[in-house]
């Protein structure tokens, strides 16, 4: 898997990058030091196929777990500090892996670099995006997920239907319309360092060619 040229890096129009860099100066509550159990279960079912793109990979626990299982994985994150930490973990653990500072809202930039993926894993990225950002992200997925490929997402369950934050089965089925099939949406939990929230894990397949 070739390393794409980083033509789109965090810029002033994405000031949230500095917010996440600040979070990763410590240990944010979502960084639990291991992959979420929901993704471990998905991997054990054999649903995850290489090559894999891990969007919003943070410090790389999910990417490294999948790489250790033999998958070819590229982890991307807006936070340069998180990516530095992910690379350091990979070196310490001697796990071959690739990490890149990259905005997940610019997935077409990866496609322009010749990259495509059988699986995209999303651990708590989609659930924090604003409405228009979600539209942009889903459109970007269409450029990097191969026909027949799978997008797997985990996020907090939406508590209030008037809120944007979180996920709901209805929204996933509406947002992924033509060209996609929602294969499953299951109730689960999103684990944090000192708590766990009700969540959904979903698998959404791009229509085969």
């Amino acid at each position: 898997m070739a390393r794409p040229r980083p033509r789109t890096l965090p810029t002033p129009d994405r000031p949230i990058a500095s917010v996440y860099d600040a979070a990763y100066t410590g240990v944010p509550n979502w960084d639990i030091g291991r992959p979420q159990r929901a993704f471990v279960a998905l991997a054990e079912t054999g649903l995850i196929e290489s090559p894999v793109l891990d969007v919003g990979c943070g410090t790389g626990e999910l990417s490294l777990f999948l790489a250790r299982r033999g998958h070819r994985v590229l982890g991307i994150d807006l936070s340069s500090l998180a990516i530095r930490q992910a690379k350091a973990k990979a070196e310490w653990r001697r796990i071959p892996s690739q990490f890149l500072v990259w905005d997940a809202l610019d997935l077409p930039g990866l496609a322009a670099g010749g990259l495509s993926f059988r699986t995209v894993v999303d651990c708590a990225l989609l659930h924090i995006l604003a409405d228009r950002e979600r539209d942009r992200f889903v459109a970007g997925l269409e450029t990097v997920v191969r026909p027949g490929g799978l997008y797997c997402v985990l996020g907090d369950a939406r508590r209030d239907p008037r809120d944007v934050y979180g996920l709901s089965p209805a929204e996933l089925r509406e947002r992924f319309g033509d060209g996609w099939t929602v294969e499953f949406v299951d109730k689960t939990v999103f684990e944090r360092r000192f708590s766990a929230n009700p969540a959904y894990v979903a698998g959404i397949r791009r229509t085969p060619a």
Side-chain angles (χ1 to χ4, degrees):
M1 185 165 55
R3 182 185 178 90
R5 182 169 60 89
R7 67 177 182 84
T8 304
L9 295 175
T11 57
D13 66 338
R14 293 282 281 158
I16 197 171
S18 61
V19 174
Y20 282 105
D21 279 341
Y24 284 111
T25 59
V27 182
N29 68 348
W30 61 83
D31 192 342
I32 59 175
R34 56 175 173 79
Q36 294 279 333
R37 288 188 177 94
F39 275 111
V40 173
L42 286 180
E44 290 176 346
T45 66
L47 281 172
I48 296 177
E49 298 180 307
S50 296
V52 181
L53 175 65
D54 182 1
V55 292
C57 67
T59 63
E61 290 295 341
L62 178 55
S63 292
L64 294 171
F65 166 74
L66 294 174
R68 181 172 279 160
R69 290 179 63 92
H71 292 290
R72 290 177 290 126
V73 186
L74 172 64
I76 62 171
D77 201 281
L78 196 63
S79 168
S80 59
L81 181 54
I83 291 297
R84 287 200 298 272
Q85 293 177 16
K87 289 179 177 179
K89 286 181 181 181
E91 183 176 357
W92 297 335
R93 300 177 192 178
R94 299 183 180 179
I95 301 174
S97 53
Q98 294 188 48
F99 293 100
L100 183 65
V101 179
W102 197 273
D103 189 342
L105 296 185
D106 184 29
L107 296 182
L110 295 180
L115 297 184
S116 64
F117 302 88
R118 286 289 301 167
T119 311
V120 173
V121 292
D122 173 350
C123 184
L125 173 70
L126 182 64
H127 81 166
I128 66 168
L129 297 179
D131 187 63
R132 290 185 180 179
E133 290 176 328
R134 294 183 188 210
D135 288 340
R136 183 177 170 188
F137 176 69
V138 172
L141 283 174
E142 295 177 0
T143 70
V144 294
V145 177
R146 297 176 185 175
L150 189 67
Y151 168 60
C152 299
V153 57
L154 170 68
D156 285 335
R158 181 173 293 155
R159 297 182 180 181
D160 186 334
R162 295 169 297 181
D163 287 344
V164 173
Y165 178 84
L167 302 178
S168 74
E171 184 206 2
L172 290 172
R173 293 189 174 96
E174 179 180 354
R175 206 170 280 280
F176 290 87
D178 292 343
W180 298 89
T181 300
V182 178
E183 293 195 340
F184 62 87
V185 182
D186 296 332
K187 291 181 179 180
T188 184
V189 295
F190 182 79
E191 304 166 274
R192 289 174 169 81
R193 294 179 66 206
F194 306 111
S195 63
N197 285 3
Y200 290 106
V201 60
I204 305 166
R205 191 166 306 275
R206 190 173 177 204
T207 303

